[in-house]
Amino acid sequence: MESSGVISAIVIGTVIGTLGRLVLPGRQHIGVLWTITVGVAAAFVGSGVAGGLGVADAKGVGWIEWLIQTGLAAVGVTALERVNAHS
């Protein structure tokens, strides 16, 4: 992966992680770096899921792919927060 790909993955991951936190009620007690990490992972996994469902190559904005990625980020943030709460 080129450096521009890594930078765009971090930017997209930040946006996806932030959206994942915003759809959850209340305050999440995880840091910014964890939010970015969860967002990057959700973006990669969500792209794979969208590709598997055949919705990744939409013309224009891939709203369904973004929804999948955001949902996965919300699940990831919730899981991470629960793990951190019990440790």
Side-chain angles (χ1 to χ4, degrees):
M1 182 179 271
E2 297 179 14
S3 62
S4 62
V6 171
I7 292 170
S8 62
I10 292 170
V11 170
I12 291 170
T14 302
V15 170
I16 293 296
T18 302
L19 288 172
R21 285 182 75 160
L22 287 175
V23 299
L24 295 173
R27 185 165 193 263
Q28 292 78 42
H29 299 283
I30 64 170
V32 173
L33 291 178
W34 280 114
T35 300
I36 294 170
T37 303
V38 168
V40 169
F44 282 122
V45 173
S47 292
V49 170
L53 295 174
V55 295
D57 296 328
K59 293 180 181 174
V61 178
W63 294 110
I64 296 173
E65 185 174 5
W66 274 74
L67 286 172
I68 292 168
Q69 292 170 335
T70 303
L72 289 172
V75 169
V77 166
T78 300
L80 186 61
E81 184 179 27
R82 289 188 180 176
V83 167
N84 284 343
H86 292 294
S87 52

